[in-house]
Structure formats: C-alpha cells, structure tokens
Amino acid sequence: MKRPLPTDLGEAIVRFFEQYLPGSRGVSPHTLHSYRDTVVLFLRFLALEARLPLEQLAISDVSSERVVKFLNTLQTERHNSIATRNVRLAALHAFARFLVLERPEQMGALQRVLAIPFRRGAKETPIDYFEGPEVEALLKSIDRSRPLGRRDYALFALMFNTGARVQEILNLCRSDLRLERPAQVRLRGKGNKVRLCPLWPSTARLLGALIATAPPTAGDIAQAPVFTNARGEKLTRFGVGYLLRKYLALAGAQAETLAAKRLHPHSLRHSTAVCLLKAGVDFATISQWLGHASLNTTMRYARADLDLKRQALVQVFPQSLSPPRAGHLRFDGSGLIERLRRL
C-alpha cells in the first residue's frame, strides 16, 4: 500500500518543532513540550472538524473559527481554566506566526487567528513559598552522613541561594561553577540566556565537597553534570520532586505550617524571590537575579507577600490609626539569608 505524502501542514509542523522553536526562538524544553501538547490536541480536534484523517490535514484547514471552537471546547469539555486556555492560545499564536513565514499566501486567514484575543479574568494562582523556619526545617531534615544526603543538601542549598529554575540547576556542569572567591555560578535560562549568580561561601564549600567526592566520570570532566542520581546519571525533574516530597514529610514535624502549603520544586525559587524582596533588594536586581524577561513577573511577589502588605499598611496610616509595630509584623529578609549562610 502506497504511503501518503506529507502535507504542507505536516512539513510545517516538523520545521516548527525541529528548527524554528529550538533554533530561532531558543525556547526551553518545558515550553517545547507545552507547545507540542497544544498542537497534538488541536490536530485531533481539527481532524474531527474537517472530517479528515490526521495525515491529510493541510494548512488551509486551519481557520480562526476552528481555533475559537477548539478553545471553547477546552473549557466546556475538558474543563480547562482560563489560564490554561490562554496558554494554549499563545502556542497557536506562535504556530500561526511561523506559518505566515512559511505560507505568506495564507496570511489573511492566519492574521485572523492571530487576532483572537486572550481571555481576561484568569485568577492569579496564590504563590506558596517557604518561610524562614520552614527553610531551616527542610534543610535540617536531610541526613548529611550519607553521600546522597550530602548531594540533596547541596542541591536545595543551591536552589535557595540562586532562585534558579529546576532545569537550570539540573543542566549545570562543573565548568559552570566558580568555587573560589568570588564564588559564582553560570545559569542558562529561557531562550538560552546566560546569567551569573553569586554563591554564598557556604554554598561554594558544599558544592566543592560534592564534586571532590563524586565518582569518576567518563569523558570531559568539565562537562560532567553537578547533580547525578545513584546510577551516575543526570538527576531529573521527577527526581527533584520526589526528594522534596520526601524531606517535606520529615520536616513537617519541626514546621507544622508546611502541611497547609502546596509546595513543589518551583516553590524554592519563589522563596528566594520573596526573601530578596523582604531584604530590601530592588525589583530590577531581583528580576536579573532570577532571569525574568519582564519586571511584571517579579512584581507578582510583591502582590503575594502578606508581610509586605502589612508594612505598607503601617506606613500609609497615621500613627493614631496604624496597628502596633509588633515584631511579628516585620520580616527581616537579611536575617534569613544570614541564617541560611550558616547552615
């Protein structure tokens, strides 16, 4: 049986994922997977709408009407939130922009796809992060007498120190570390953007000890991953999530407030951001520290933190109306940083 030839849509999808996104756009693997999931969902919907097999779909089958119907289906049948709908639309917008370059004769129809607006009303998800005693409880729950425990301690200490994304930490190789003074780490963020982040002396010592006791590796030592599993392979995001859940269960006995929070590896990044903010670091510096593309992303932490809102309330109201300046209303972010340095 003769196999069908690839359609213009099929060829465009291959170039979109293999060349355009990783090459021209430099998107992260996480974004690439998200876009892939969106395109898969849309292709399934499009095949049903056009009453065609998937392999026969063409670019001409993509229309703004079908995109809108697909987005509505996400909410009505899959019960996706407005935020998820907007994420799917962002992926389809990116694909439509690429198709304009591939098929300029289809520009009119694709412009109508690009004109589909994002839906307002998406609720901002509350940010859960570690408070000072919770950070200490988590780190103290790690048994540092074992090699894997020392690895885990160095891992979470580095994540708190840098506020890096999980994948940025897992992609680190030894050449990315400068452990002599002034200690620093080179991180590769979204869009392959490189930034440098300072390391506390205690973090540098932990990483130095981890590397010094690591098993021998084949190949270029400078390119060896910093964090590996028990088999000597690069640690995965799933592995970091498992480790965090494990130590949260142990730390709950020392910090009961942990049980009421939905914490995950990205919460460590939130914790660093809020800690820097409470210590008085300006938004521009925090934005560069975390590798944010926009200050608007950094501003989320100001909206999320209750202590900062309390401080603002005390400053705005007259002394006769303001609440007492009790010690528990003030959080010394620099104090937390100093305690973490000593851990």
Side-chain angles (χ1 to χ4, degrees):
M1 181 177 179
K2 187 177 179 180
R3 298 178 64 182
L5 295 174
T7 64
D8 58 352
L9 180 61
E11 293 176 340
I13 289 175
V14 171
R15 288 191 293 272
F16 179 65
F17 284 105
E18 292 188 354
Q19 301 173 19
Y20 178 72
L21 289 180
S24 301
R25 290 282 301 275
V27 302
S28 68
H30 179 75
T31 302
L32 198 66
H33 293 159
S34 175
Y35 280 20
R36 181 198 61 190
D37 293 343
T38 297
V39 170
V40 168
L41 288 172
F42 181 62
L43 288 177
R44 290 174 179 170
F45 174 84
L46 192 60
L48 292 174
E49 280 293 302
R51 298 182 179 179
L52 290 171
L54 281 170
E55 64 272 13
Q56 293 183 18
L57 292 173
I59 294 177
S60 58
D61 294 315
V62 179
S63 67
S64 59
E65 293 79 12
R66 284 173 172 167
V67 171
V68 169
K69 192 172 181 181
F70 166 69
L71 297 172
N72 291 337
T73 301
L74 292 179
Q75 290 188 259
T76 58
E77 295 184 10
R78 295 179 64 90
H79 306 291
N80 289 167
S81 65
I82 294 177
T84 300
R85 173 197 183 275
N86 289 340
V87 168
R88 300 301 187 197
L89 178 57
L92 294 177
H93 276 176
F95 186 49
R97 292 189 187 95
F98 169 75
L99 290 179
V100 168
L101 301 176
E102 292 280 301
R103 290 288 186 270
E105 68 274 12
Q106 301 278 355
M107 186 171 181
L110 294 170
Q111 281 180 325
R112 288 191 287 275
V113 173
L114 291 170
I116 299 172
F118 293 101
R119 182 162 293 178
R120 296 184 178 182
K123 295 181 180 179
E124 189 172 282
T125 305
I127 297 175
D128 277 332
Y129 57 89
F130 291 84
E131 298 284 357
E134 296 168 345
V135 173
E136 296 184 54
L138 177 70
L139 293 177
K140 288 180 179 179
S141 69
I142 302 174
D143 180 6
R144 298 168 66 183
S145 66
R146 300 178 301 106
L148 290 180
R150 291 191 289 273
R151 177 207 62 186
D152 299 343
Y153 193 95
L155 170 70
F156 291 125
L158 180 61
M159 293 179 72
F160 278 121
N161 184 161
T162 61
R165 301 175 180 92
V166 179
Q167 199 58 51
E168 292 173 351
I169 293 292
L170 298 182
N171 288 341
L172 285 178
C173 56
R174 296 183 186 182
S175 62
D176 292 319
L177 299 175
R178 173 192 169 100
L179 301 181
E180 64 272 11
R181 293 179 181 271
Q184 62 187 33
V185 59
R186 179 173 56 211
L187 299 167
R188 293 175 179 82
K190 292 183 177 180
N192 289 325
K193 294 179 181 178
V194 177
R195 68 186 188 280
L196 298 177
C197 185
L199 294 177
W200 301 326
S202 59
T203 308
R205 288 193 296 271
L206 290 169
L207 293 170
L210 179 68
I211 292 173
T213 58
T217 58
D220 187 356
I221 296 178
Q223 298 305 312
V226 176
F227 296 103
T228 58
N229 58 25
R231 298 183 298 276
E233 301 168 347
K234 183 190 291 187
L235 199 62
T236 65
R237 294 173 62 92
F238 175 82
V240 175
Y242 165 79
L243 292 172
L244 182 61
R245 291 191 297 272
K246 169 186 171 182
Y247 292 120
L248 282 175
L250 297 173
Q254 301 297 323
E256 296 180 357
T257 53
L258 288 171
K261 297 183 177 182
R262 297 179 61 185
L263 297 166
H264 45 80
H266 207 70
S267 302
L268 307 178
R269 177 172 168 84
H270 296 328
S271 307
T272 303
V274 173
C275 184
L276 291 170
L277 190 61
K278 289 178 175 181
V281 180
D282 62 272
F283 283 107
T285 300
I286 297 174
S287 181
Q288 293 176 3
W289 187 303
L290 299 179
H292 286 159
S294 168
L295 277 176
N296 290 333
T297 305
T298 315
M299 290 293 292
R300 291 181 61 209
Y301 298 108
R303 296 193 293 270
D305 186 65
L306 186 58
D307 284 340
L308 291 174
K309 295 173 184 176
R310 286 170 173 158
Q311 290 177 22
L313 191 67
V314 170
Q315 294 171 6
V316 168
F317 282 93
Q319 184 65 33
S320 59
L321 295 178
S322 64
R325 296 175 179 268
H328 71 277
L329 295 183
R330 297 190 300 274
F331 182 97
D332 183 4
S334 59
L336 172 58
I337 292 176
E338 186 59 36
R339 291 201 301 276
L340 291 178
R341 283 174 176 164
R342 296 195 300 266
L343 285 175

